[in-house]
Structure formats: structure tokens, C-alpha cells
Amino acid sequence: MSIRLDTNISPLKNHLLSALPITVYDRLSPFVELVKLALDDVIYEAGDKLIHVYFPVDTIIALSYVMECGSSAEISVVGNEGIVGIALFMGGESTASRAVVKSAGYAYRIKGHYFMEEFNRHGELLTLMLRYTQSLMTQMSQTAVCNRYHTIDQQLCRLLLLSLDRLPDNNIEMTQELIANMLGVRREGVTEAAGKLQKQGVISYHRGHITILDRQKLEALSCECYRVVKEETKRLLPDVSKDHKRATLSVYPDGRCT
């Protein structure tokens, strides 16, 4: 992973970093590093000891479980609402899932021992991380239910909406093969489902580029799983649309913040 030299992306575009009190944010800021994440970059494999926690800004990272045969299925997606690496502060230091970049972009990362120094103060960071973990567990549980009981059409709508909520605009970069792998279904099923959405004017799809044209209709076509996850996230986490009174970090060319 290489450091991005363009410094226009603020760490505050990650909702968790933005929600931190300024005193906590200022203690963490010297250890925040900007990284560029390419499609299919592996953040960690199952069983790896976690070295960093990642705060996505405009990228989507999928947490998935990989079977012995090589097949995989998505259990959750993380974007600008969250953090990747919860096993570090939950006490396990590793996890049975793998984390892979599914939409390229940028994130901020902090070395685990610096992050844990603040977490172990048993203050605002700990509370925020535990509440986020509960919202992530809701998404994982709802994904399992969705994959068991709902159609591929509904699963695709759910995935598109979750991805849309975690990106800065209405454009999603995901191939049909990638979506099929995330949902644990055949590519042909995704092709058919995407074709239906395109015919209804809900999305525009071309060569792995998806533009959401009618979000309201996409929500109507989705199952209740998306709404459950969205409402629980809203209940548990602060409203980042509110103005947080703090200065924006400056980012050096080597990725360090101050």
C-alpha cells in the first residue's frame, strides 16, 4: 500500500474519527497515517495478528469468510462509517475472517499499540468503539439472515445500498464477479438481477461501473435487512452531519498528520 501525496482527504471524513471529542482526536492525530488502497488489497487474512486499525474514507472493505475449498461469502462491509480491525480492541488480536478492498480509495490507519493506549484510558474512544462493534454485529447477523431467506435480487439491492451509504457519491466500482463472490452466489444470478435493475431505471451499469439513478426505488426493492442495519447504526452512532468544532488536520506528503 502506497501513501497518497494528494492531501485533500481529511481524516474527519471518517465518521468515527469525526465523532471523537477533540481532546481524544488530538491525542491520536500524531499517529494517523494516510494510505492508498487498491482493489483486492488484502488488509488481513484469517488468523493474522492485527498490526493496524483502518478508518476508511472513500473506500469499501469487505469482511468475508473463506471456506477450505476457496469459496467465500461476505459477512459485512465497512466504509467511512467505521473501522477495520475490531479484533485488536476486542481482545482476540486476530479473527477468522479476511478483510479485502472491494472499492479502491483511501483510508487512515493507526498502529495498534498507539490506538490501544487511547482505548485503555476507558474513555470516549472505548465507548464509541463498542457501540460501533454492536452495529457491525447487527450487519453481520442481518447478512446471514438475508443470504438464507431473501432472493439474489434483494441481496444485490441491500449490498448496493450499504455500499452507497459508505461512498461520497452515487458511483460504485464493482464487477459482477466481485459482487457474486461477496454474496456467495453464481455470477449469472448477479447478471440477471443487475439487468432487471437497469431495465427499471434504478441503476446504470457498464464494465464494473454502477451509478445509482433512483435510490428511493432501490430501497423499495430491497428487503428489510438494509433498513434494520441502517436504523441500528443510526441509533448507536453519533450523527456526523452535526458540526464538530475542530481544526482540520494537516497531512504531510509522507502520510503523517499534525
Side-chain angles (χ1 to χ4, degrees):
M1 293 177 291
S2 59
I3 301 300
R4 187 186 185 218
L5 299 182
D6 183 353
T7 61
N8 292 326
I9 294 182
S10 167
L12 299 182
K13 291 185 178 179
N14 176 276
H15 296 185
L16 294 182
L17 290 178
S18 179
L20 290 173
I22 191 168
T23 52
V24 177
Y25 185 79
D26 287 347
R27 284 196 295 266
L28 286 174
S29 64
F31 312 115
V32 174
E33 178 188 13
L34 180 64
V35 291
K36 180 180 180 180
L37 301 177
L39 182 66
D40 289 332
D41 273 352
V42 177
I43 305 301
Y44 61 76
E45 290 283 5
D48 284 354
K49 183 176 180 179
L50 303 187
I51 306 300
H52 297 87
V53 290
Y54 288 78
F55 295 89
V57 175
D58 61 354
T59 181
I60 292 177
I61 298 170
L63 309 183
S64 60
Y65 188 85
V66 182
M67 305 293 289
E68 290 183 357
C69 64
S71 299
S72 64
E74 164 239 336
I75 55 177
S76 63
V77 292
V78 181
N80 60 10
E81 91 298 349
I83 180 176
V84 175
I86 66 170
L88 189 71
F89 58 80
M90 293 300 289
E93 295 189 343
S94 66
T95 176
S97 65
R98 72 195 301 250
V100 182
V101 177
K102 296 303 182 182
S103 182
Y106 302 93
Y108 286 87
R109 71 181 183 184
I110 303 175
K111 285 187 176 179
H113 61 278
Y114 294 129
F115 182 84
M116 290 306 297
E117 283 180 8
E118 183 62 40
F119 185 86
N120 288 331
R121 288 175 179 265
H122 292 185
E124 292 91 342
L125 181 64
L126 181 149
T127 300
L128 183 62
M129 291 301 106
L130 293 183
R131 292 177 74 87
Y132 171 73
T133 299
Q134 183 175 340
S135 73
L136 186 66
M137 289 171 62
T138 298
Q139 185 189 157
M140 291 178 174
S141 301
Q142 208 66 40
T143 297
V145 171
C146 191
N147 291 346
R148 173 65 178 85
Y149 289 104
H150 294 143
T151 66
I152 295 177
D153 294 18
Q154 292 172 311
Q155 292 178 49
L156 175 60
C157 291
R158 172 185 58 82
L159 178 59
L160 291 178
L161 286 166
L162 288 174
S163 299
L164 191 62
D165 286 348
R166 288 153 176 79
L167 292 172
D169 53 37
N170 290 340
N171 298 302
I172 303 171
E173 300 289 340
M174 284 187 185
T175 64
Q176 291 184 2
E177 182 176 0
L178 181 60
I179 293 172
N181 288 337
M182 292 177 70
L183 297 180
V185 299
R186 296 178 61 189
R187 179 178 176 178
E188 291 80 2
V190 174
T191 300
E192 183 179 353
K196 291 177 184 177
L197 292 177
Q198 187 155 253
K199 287 180 181 178
Q200 295 178 71
V202 178
I203 67 171
S204 171
Y205 181 82
H206 182 68
R207 295 181 179 270
H209 180 84
I210 303 170
T211 300
I212 307 301
L213 303 176
D214 189 339
R215 181 187 176 113
Q216 186 174 1
K217 192 166 185 179
L218 186 64
E219 290 189 13
L221 291 171
S222 181
C223 51
E224 71 268 25
C225 297
Y226 167 69
R227 292 185 292 278
V228 170
V229 173
K230 183 177 181 179
E231 290 171 5
E232 186 71 351
T233 299
K234 184 178 180 180
R235 181 183 75 86
L236 290 167
L237 299 178
D239 181 2
V240 296
S241 65
K242 295 178 181 178
D243 183 27
H244 293 276
K245 304 294 185 181
R246 67 186 68 185
T248 301
L249 289 181
S250 298
V251 187
Y252 288 113
D254 65 358
R256 292 177 298 112
C257 298
T258 184

